[in-house]
């Protein structure tokens, strides 16, 4: 296992279409996070899973966004009816459980462009 | 609400210089602080993790310090190289879950 893997790396879609991204975390990590990053900004938290349970969602996660982690392994992030404002880098991260030594490891991201 | 600020936003130095990147946060109740590197169009690479009980961490030419009471962290890069050119992000872990990031410092090291 070489790290967090995200697919696809790049996605161009027309406004109004649905898109789905996949994240495969480091195998022994039970925590998985989704972040969104726009140009010149730091990543912003979207949602967080511990195993298959979605424990926290940001107010940034509108009702057009949905995330799943059905078996506590990989996760998907779906955006319905995409808008130009959804264009961003979508980053996935994973970490081991715990409060203190929760070093987060990130994937290479999925760059979404909505035209 | 926790806010993380990084100064400067951009920095250009000649090769070989030692440099310091600054990170400040408004709420000192954090579990840990993490420094990341991001190359253009890429994901984040973890550089150093400092627990709230620690004062500093070192990895090679990198040294990160944490003063939790004053809400500050610094990343010291010794003998900078052109390959160090990237954006450096700091993030705090406040509730044991999501990280809160600054906007980053973009470093350019010229040869």
């Amino acid at each position: 296992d070489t790290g967090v893997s995200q697919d696809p790396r790049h996605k161009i879609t027309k406004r109004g279409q649905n898109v789905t991204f996949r994240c495969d975390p480091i195998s022994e990590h039970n925590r998985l996070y989704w972040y969104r990053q726009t140009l010149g900004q730091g990543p912003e938290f979207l949602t967080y899973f511990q195993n298959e349970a979605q424990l926290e969602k940001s107010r940034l996660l509108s009702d057009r966004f949905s995330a799943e982690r059905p078996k506590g392994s990989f996760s998907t992030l779906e955006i319905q009816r995409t808008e130009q404002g959804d264009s961003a880098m979508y980053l996935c991260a994973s970490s081991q459980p715990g409060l203190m030594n929760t070093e987060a490891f990130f994937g290479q991201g999925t760059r979404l462009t909505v035209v | 609400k926790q806010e993380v600020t990084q100064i400067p936003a951009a920095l250009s130095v000649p090769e070989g210089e030692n440099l310091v990147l600054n990170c400040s946060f408004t709420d000192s109740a954090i579990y840990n602080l993490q420094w990341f590197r991001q190359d253009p169009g890429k994901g984040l690479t973890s550089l150093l993790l400092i627990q709230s009980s620690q004062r500093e961490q070192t990895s090679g030419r990198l040294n990160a310090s944490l003063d939790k009471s004053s809400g500050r962290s610094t990343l010291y890069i010794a003998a900078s190289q052109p390959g160090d050119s990237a954006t450096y992000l700091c993030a705090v872990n406040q509730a044991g879950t999501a990280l809160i990031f600054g906007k980053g410092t973009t470093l350019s090291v010229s040869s």
Side-chain angles (χ1 to χ4, degrees), chain A residues 9 31 33 35 37 40-43 45 48 56 89 91 98-104 106-108, chain B residues 1 31-32 34 36 38 41-44 46 49 51-52 89 93 95-99 101-103:
Chain A
R9 294 290 309 279
R31 290 185 171 185
Y33 313 80
Y35 291 83
Q37 185 180 28
Q41 302 295 314
F45 169 72
Y48 151 64
E56 191 175 343
M89 174 79 88
L91 294 160
L99 289 176
M100 300 300 287
N101 190 25
T102 53
E103 185 172 6
F106 281 76
Q108 289 298 299
Chain B
K1 177 188 172 187
Y31 285 114
N32 57 51
Q34 201 167 349
F36 295 90
Q38 186 174 32
K42 305 289 187 181
L44 278 62
S46 179
L49 172 74
Q51 307 290 355
S52 61
L89 294 154
N93 183 334
T97 55
L99 293 171
F101 283 85
K103 292 184 178 181

Side-chain angles (χ1 to χ4, degrees), chain B residues 33 47-51 54-59 62-66 74-76:
Chain B
L33 182 145
L47 298 174
L48 290 163
L49 172 74
I50 310 177
Q51 307 290 355
Q54 297 176 323
R55 298 285 291 185
E56 65 179 276
Q57 282 285 338
T58 298
S59 176
L62 305 179
N63 176 278
S65 69
L66 174 64
T74 61
L75 179 66
Y76 174 83

Side-chain angles (χ1 to χ4, degrees), chain A residues 6-112:
Chain A
Q6 291 188 245
D7 183 72
R9 294 290 309 279
H10 304 275
K11 178 71 176 179
I12 300 174
T13 190
K14 292 183 178 180
R15 189 175 53 188
Q17 297 293 306
N18 300 342
V19 294
T20 300
F21 310 141
R22 176 178 170 128
C23 171
D24 287 88
I26 294 171
S27 57
E28 64 268 26
H29 288 181
N30 71 348
R31 290 185 171 185
L32 186 148
Y33 313 80
W34 285 98
Y35 291 83
R36 181 174 69 186
Q37 185 180 28
T38 53
L39 199 62
Q41 302 295 314
E44 294 176 294
F45 169 72
L46 291 178
T47 190
Y48 151 64
F49 290 87
Q50 182 156 309
N51 298 313
E52 67 276 10
Q54 188 174 18
L55 297 185
E56 191 175 343
K57 291 194 290 187
S58 162
R59 58 179 175 78
L60 295 175
L61 209 68
S62 76
D63 56 5
R64 296 185 298 106
F65 288 69
S66 62
E68 293 182 345
R69 194 181 183 197
K71 297 183 179 179
S73 56
F74 73 90
S75 175
T76 58
L77 178 68
E78 181 183 16
I79 309 174
Q80 296 182 326
R81 305 182 302 281
T82 52
E83 302 173 355
Q84 287 189 322
D86 297 331
S87 296
M89 174 79 88
Y90 289 84
L91 294 160
C92 177
S94 70
S95 71
Q96 292 181 325
L99 289 176
M100 300 300 287
N101 190 25
T102 53
E103 185 172 6
F105 295 89
F106 281 76
Q108 289 298 299
T110 295
R111 167 74 65 188
L112 172 66

Side-chain angles (χ1 to χ4, degrees), chain B residues 63-81:
Chain B
N63 176 278
S65 69
L66 174 64
D67 184 343
K68 201 175 81 158
S69 61
S70 68
R72 294 181 180 182
S73 176
T74 61
L75 179 66
Y76 174 83
I77 303 177
S80 58
Q81 303 170 357

Side-chain angles (χ1 to χ4, degrees), chain B residues 93-111:
Chain B
N93 183 334
Q94 187 168 23
T97 55
L99 293 171
I100 301 170
F101 283 85
K103 292 184 178 181
T105 293
T106 299
L107 173 65
S108 176
V109 182
S110 56
S111 56

